[in-house]
Amino acid sequence: MRSLVEKLCRERVLSEEEFIALIQGRDPQVTALLAQRAAAVRRKVYGDRVFIRGLIEFTNHCKNDCYYCGLRCSDRVVERYRLSEEEILGCCHRGYEMGFRTFVLQGGEDPGYPPERICALVARIKEAHPDCAVTLSVGEQPREVYQSWFDAGADRYLLRHETADGDHYGMLHPARMKLGNRLRCLRDLKDIGYQVGCGFMVGSPGQRPAHIARDLAFIHELQPHMVGIGPFIPQKDTPFGKEKAGSAELTVYLLSIIRLMLPNVLLPATTALGTIHPRGRELGIAAGANVCMPNLSPLAVRKKYAIYDDKICTGDEAAECIRCLRGRIESVGCVMDMGRGDHVTLSGKEVDRYV
Ligand code: SAH
């Protein structure tokens, strides 16, 4: 196992067979070795800074029907909401006052927020806060739509690929959703000039080590700026409501592998990781992650964005989340950075001498 870790550090990639062996050979010693190497690489590139993004979950309407997600259109229990432009700008304004310089607008694929409406919204946010980055995360769109949002000022886009294996993708989604289109979206987004994030759930139903190995190979091929991974957590009203949750330990292990594969990557310690384990985010940061995304949505809607059960931080004001996060980040020897936190290749710094 040690030699695989050394090889990964040296060559930044392994074959799918080697990734499978590394995943299956996980034990406390390899975990510690990977975490130590990954944290050192993160430190070389980004120092001890952990970037903070303000997440605004602006609509929970969705036309898709992903089997794992609590916002799927077949769910009749969820109380739907859609924030107005004024409410979203209000969230950004309050966030700005607290020091946030990145706003992440995430939502379902909501026909009530058609492309032109999002275009105008992005333009208004950028006009009000020209020194801030805007990240969008609203699913699959035609290339022209992504282009129009980019032209309106959007800087980054998060679209997890969910699984890079076509058969596994078919187990997680209805037949009308195709892996090919999701991958097309990611390539278009990169081509247009966004800072792009892909990613997947750890421990999603039917996921085997070979699927994860394929995810890692795909991530290496795409070379995204960001990678979002978090444990799958069942949501009781979905078809996967009785499935087992993914593990924090495997998620943290994979965070280290991804950091070693992409030294410059922006890698969140996700809310799902903090939900499944009380110190999940700290463990993630200690293992190579360098982003946290606290919630800036109005308290009144937080509980309604229930993609999975028992989500943390649905009852705390953003200011309280910041205070709590600062303590967690400092507890693992890092510091909170409220700046835009662009990918290092876009901030003019020399990047390749990381080892
Ligand atoms: N509609 C947007 C945003 C989806 S929510 C899009 O399609 O990109 C953001 C992410 O939450 C998803 O990409 C998925 O990976 C994750 N997610 C959804 N349901 C989940 C669950 N039950 N457990 C853990 N993560 C989940």
Side-chain angles (χ1 to χ4, degrees):
M1 244 6 85
R2 245 198 124 80
S3 65
L4 280 182
V5 176
E6 297 304 341
K7 185 170 179 193
L8 177 60
C9 291
R10 213 173 44 242
E11 299 182 10
R12 299 190 201 167
V13 70
L14 298 174
S15 68
E16 287 188 37
E17 291 68 34
E18 290 169 326
F19 276 134
I20 294 175
L22 190 56
I23 293 160
Q24 287 176 333
R26 178 165 62 91
D27 68 23
Q29 271 179 327
V30 200
T31 304
L33 177 63
L34 272 174
Q36 181 218 327
R37 293 301 182 86
V41 166
R42 195 252 348 261
R43 198 168 300 121
K44 269 276 188 319
V45 180
Y46 288 103
D48 287 320
R49 291 171 294 159
V50 173
F51 300 114
I52 306 301
R53 326 292 199 194
L55 180 63
I56 305 172
E57 296 163 335
F58 71 103
T59 172
N60 72 352
H61 290 262
C62 191
K63 66 177 168 61
N64 277 339
D65 215 12
C66 311
Y67 301 147
Y68 45 84
C69 181
L71 309 185
R72 59 200 301 268
C73 62
S74 305
D75 192 316
R76 303 280 165 231
V77 186
V78 55
E79 209 186 306
R80 304 285 173 174
Y81 72 91
R82 179 180 296 129
L83 299 183
S84 69
E85 282 80 352
E86 301 312 318
E87 287 173 308
I88 296 168
L89 280 156
C91 292
C92 295
H93 182 71
R94 281 188 297 280
Y96 192 90
E97 307 258 277
M98 277 182 263
F100 287 89
R101 293 296 177 267
T102 292
F103 302 115
V104 181
L105 269 54
Q106 189 177 80
E109 292 189 21
D110 176 5
Y113 252 106
E116 318 74 66
R117 197 172 165 191
I118 292 186
C119 224
L121 173 64
V122 170
R124 282 185 71 183
I125 297 173
K126 292 294 281 196
E127 193 189 357
H129 304 291
D131 53 337
C132 292
V134 171
T135 305
L136 293 175
S137 179
V138 284
E140 298 174 25
Q141 300 289 340
R143 183 179 174 125
E144 302 72 53
V145 170
Y146 288 145
Q147 183 72 55
S148 69
W149 293 343
F150 187 75
D151 295 341
D155 301 273
R156 309 181 187 141
Y157 204 99
L158 299 175
L159 183 74
R160 291 188 178 179
H161 61 283
E162 312 297 0
T163 170
D165 181 277
D167 292 336
H168 188 219
Y169 196 88
M171 289 180 57
L172 302 179
H173 303 94
R176 64 174 180 277
M177 292 181 69
K178 299 277 183 240
L179 175 61
N181 193 51
R182 212 148 174 102
L183 302 186
R184 187 274 304 161
C185 290
L186 283 165
R187 299 207 166 94
D188 281 347
L189 288 161
K190 219 177 157 210
D191 206 43
I192 289 169
Y194 283 95
Q195 296 177 55
V196 173
C198 66
F200 60 95
M201 290 175 288
V202 177
S204 57
Q207 187 185 59
R208 286 182 277 109
H211 296 139
I212 301 177
R214 181 148 303 166
D215 287 321
L216 295 172
F218 168 71
I219 291 170
H220 185 263
E221 182 206 317
L222 181 70
Q223 294 280 314
H225 304 85
M226 309 171 276
V227 177
I229 67 164
F232 161 75
I233 305 175
Q235 201 286 330
K236 60 181 179 349
D237 306 312
T238 63
F240 292 155
K242 295 216 157 43
E243 298 286 334
K244 215 163 97 275
S247 91
E249 291 72 21
L250 180 56
T251 305
V252 169
Y253 192 75
L254 292 170
L255 285 170
S256 297
I257 293 176
I258 293 167
R259 168 64 61 199
L260 291 170
M261 208 164 67
L262 303 176
N264 303 328
V265 78
L266 292 160
L267 192 62
T270 54
T271 306
L273 182 54
T275 297
I276 208 82
H277 187 294
R279 295 190 68 245
R281 286 168 298 177
E282 294 90 307
L283 296 172
I285 293 165
N290 67 335
V291 172
C292 283
M293 296 169 53
N295 205 314
L296 276 182
S297 313
L299 271 184
V301 301
R302 292 267 187 94
K303 283 199 179 12
K304 298 181 191 162
Y305 200 84
I307 50 181
Y308 49 79
D309 288 334
D310 303 322
K311 197 164 151 217
I312 53 168
C313 309
T314 55
D316 298 317
E317 289 291 354
E320 172 55 22
C321 285
I322 281 288
R323 215 177 52 82
C324 160
L325 263 185
R326 174 170 283 125
R328 290 173 186 271
I329 289 167
E330 290 175 357
S331 79
V332 286
C334 289
V335 292
M336 191 178 234
D337 188 320
M338 300 286 287
R340 269 179 60 117
D342 285 297
H343 189 262
V344 71
T345 53
L346 294 143
S347 50
K349 222 180 95 181
E350 177 62 51
V351 290
D352 228 342
R353 275 183 279 112
Y354 73 95
V355 270

